[in-house]
Amino acid sequence: MASKAKKAAGGKKHAQRATSNVFAMFAQNQVQEFKEAFGMMDQDKDGFISKEDLKGTLSSFGKEPKDDELEEMMNEAAGAINFTMFLTMFGDKLTGTDPEDTILNAFKMFDPDATGKINDKKLRKLLMGMGDRLQEEEVDQVYRGAPIDKKGNFDYKRFVHIVKYGEEDA
């Protein structure tokens, strides 16, 4: 593991340098949201997400991962997980073709007429009552800036596009 995170004379960790500009992959508001998520996960505030940080984060969600599971998650990174590496990892996950199709297919289950839209009240009820149930505040956060027309229809195709590629130019 010595190649993953190097220690300098002062004991600080150094991440391997990313070879591309990962910041160009995301809109500025997305980068800010990732920064906030990174800050919540970096529990010891040292600028890196360690195995202990990851364990603490998962514990706050009621999960108690085993040490080998944590190791497996940490090994997904090509180096120490600083913010740039964190962003790179999400960029790699979000730029694939399957995730977009998967998200759209999940919405399509609740759109039998294939309109590309779901009534926002119906969707809110589904989000709060099925699977990993969201709290009202979490649904409100999802709905902030969401494409909902005057008739109360949530445009899930546009929403998925915004999530994957950022807000389209007006």
Side-chain angles (χ1 to χ4, degrees), residues 105-125:
N105 287 335
F107 280 114
K108 286 177 184 177
M109 290 176 53
F110 305 104
D111 181 19
D113 298 327
T115 63
K117 297 179 181 183
I118 302 172
N119 177 274
D120 70 321
K121 287 182 176 72
K122 177 181 174 184
L123 181 59
R124 177 178 286 275
K125 189 174 180 179

Side-chain angles (χ1 to χ4, degrees), residues 14-161:
H14 292 283
Q16 293 177 347
R17 189 159 209 171
T19 56
S20 66
N21 186 0
V22 69
F23 293 91
M25 293 173 62
F26 300 101
Q28 189 173 5
N29 64 328
Q30 290 176 306
V31 172
Q32 184 58 40
E33 288 175 13
F34 280 119
K35 187 89 171 157
E36 290 172 21
F38 180 86
M40 288 189 280
M41 292 180 74
D42 180 18
Q43 297 186 347
D44 60 8
K45 305 299 180 208
D46 67 350
F48 293 85
I49 296 175
S50 66
K51 186 164 73 170
E52 292 74 28
D53 292 332
L54 184 58
K55 183 176 184 175
T57 300
L58 292 171
S59 293
S60 72
F61 293 122
K63 306 287 183 193
E64 293 300 326
K66 295 180 181 146
D67 202 51
D68 59 330
E69 294 171 322
L70 291 168
E71 278 297 324
E72 187 178 321
M73 287 183 226
M74 294 300 294
N75 287 335
E76 287 186 32
I81 306 175
N82 64 4
F83 180 63
T84 302
M85 180 60 68
F86 181 77
L87 203 57
T88 300
M89 292 171 72
F90 272 95
D92 290 345
K93 299 275 186 204
L94 294 175
T95 56
T97 55
D98 287 343
E100 183 174 4
D101 290 341
T102 302
I103 297 167
L104 285 170
N105 287 335
F107 280 114
K108 286 177 184 177
M109 290 176 53
F110 305 104
D111 181 19
D113 298 327
T115 63
K117 297 179 181 183
I118 302 172
N119 177 274
D120 70 321
K121 287 182 176 72
K122 177 181 174 184
L123 181 59
R124 177 178 286 275
K125 189 174 180 179
L126 290 168
L127 291 171
M128 293 174 63
M130 289 185 65
D132 292 336
R133 295 179 178 134
L134 298 180
Q135 298 296 314
E136 188 170 354
E137 303 82 42
E138 294 169 315
V139 176
D140 290 343
Q141 189 173 14
V142 169
Y143 274 37
R144 261 186 233 120
I148 300 173
D149 65 22
K150 290 180 173 119
K151 294 180 181 176
N153 293 310
F154 181 90
D155 185 337
Y156 66 82
K157 289 181 179 180
R158 213 168 121 220
F159 179 75
V160 170
H161 182 84

